[in-house]
Amino acid sequence: MYELYILGQLLFTDRSAYKLRFVLENVLGINRKVSFGVLYPLLEKMETTGAIVMTNDLDWRGKKKLHVTAAGRARFDTLMREPISKNAHMDDVYLFKLSSLSLVDRTLAQQIIANFRAEKQSQCAQYAEYNQQLKLHHSEASFFKSAMQINKLQNALANTYLEQLDIIESELE
């Protein structure tokens, strides 16, 4: 999952592992941490496959920078075109793709936005259906009120994503 984001960031500019970790944590959110125990093995694997190389250029902290190779660019393009699995990391992968839209052609960028929009619209429809089922079958249950609140919150989050996708799409034009 992090490979896509790392390649995208390195296509913008060479960075050290320290800086990659910093920007990755900022995209994931304030409560998400990325350990060097996860990052360094991934970077090593990416270097072994030829996707990135270590340069002799140093950042302000004296750390060597990483650079994307032609093979890394090809891998990035492949990852940007791959469908996203519906799982707990789906939104993270879409955020990674959205952060790199300027690195792909307009048609692919629009397709990524359309796919994410369809996922969020589907979620909104599912929450509406869940709420109907809760009201119909569980209105007297002890969990009813909290379940309704959480479903409303999840629906609001999906709608916020949809609103932001409209803004991102308008900025492509």
Side-chain angles (χ1 to χ4, degrees):
M1 172 176 79
Y2 296 149
E3 180 184 17
L4 171 65
Y5 188 72
I6 289 167
L7 289 170
Q9 285 300 304
L10 293 176
L11 283 167
F12 284 116
T13 188
D14 294 351
R15 298 182 191 273
S16 67
Y18 176 83
K19 189 64 166 184
L20 282 171
R21 178 177 173 240
F22 175 78
V23 295
L24 183 56
E25 286 180 346
N26 279 291
V27 167
L28 290 171
I30 59 174
N31 294 322
R32 301 271 300 273
K33 299 297 177 202
V34 178
S35 74
F36 284 117
V38 169
L39 187 59
Y40 281 128
L42 176 58
L43 293 174
E44 188 175 300
K45 176 185 170 194
M46 292 170 70
E47 194 168 20
T48 300
T49 63
I52 62 173
V53 293
M54 183 87 59
T55 70
N56 288 324
D57 189 21
L58 302 178
D59 71 1
W60 65 274
R61 299 182 75 233
K63 303 295 182 185
K64 288 187 176 184
K65 291 183 181 180
L66 300 163
H67 177 79
V68 175
T69 65
R73 174 62 200 215
R75 176 71 176 143
F76 171 80
D77 290 339
T78 298
L79 291 170
M80 287 294 281
R81 287 176 175 19
E82 280 184 356
I84 297 174
S85 301
K86 290 185 181 188
N87 60 37
H89 299 291
M90 181 183 76
D91 286 352
D92 292 341
V93 177
Y94 271 114
L95 290 177
F96 295 162
K97 286 188 177 195
L98 292 173
S99 73
S100 297
L101 289 181
S102 65
L103 299 170
V104 298
D105 64 71
R106 183 178 169 85
T107 302
L108 179 56
Q110 289 173 323
Q111 185 61 53
I112 291 167
I113 292 169
N115 291 347
F116 196 30
R117 181 177 286 119
E119 287 294 340
K120 291 302 168 183
Q121 288 170 335
S122 173
Q123 286 178 4
C124 287
Q126 289 172 349
Y127 290 125
E129 177 61 28
Y130 293 159
N131 284 343
Q132 286 290 83
Q133 293 301 316
L134 280 170
K135 288 176 187 174
L136 187 63
H137 300 292
H138 303 286
S139 62
E140 300 300 319
S142 60
F143 63 84
F144 176 74
K145 184 177 178 180
S146 62
M148 289 294 289
Q149 288 173 334
I150 296 302
N151 280 345
K152 286 180 183 177
L153 174 60
Q154 293 289 0
N155 190 50
L157 289 170
N159 278 310
T160 299
Y161 273 115
L162 289 169
E163 291 168 9
Q164 291 304 307
L165 285 173
D166 290 341
I167 293 167
I168 291 168
E169 188 170 45
S170 73
E171 291 173 352
L172 284 178
E173 299 171 359

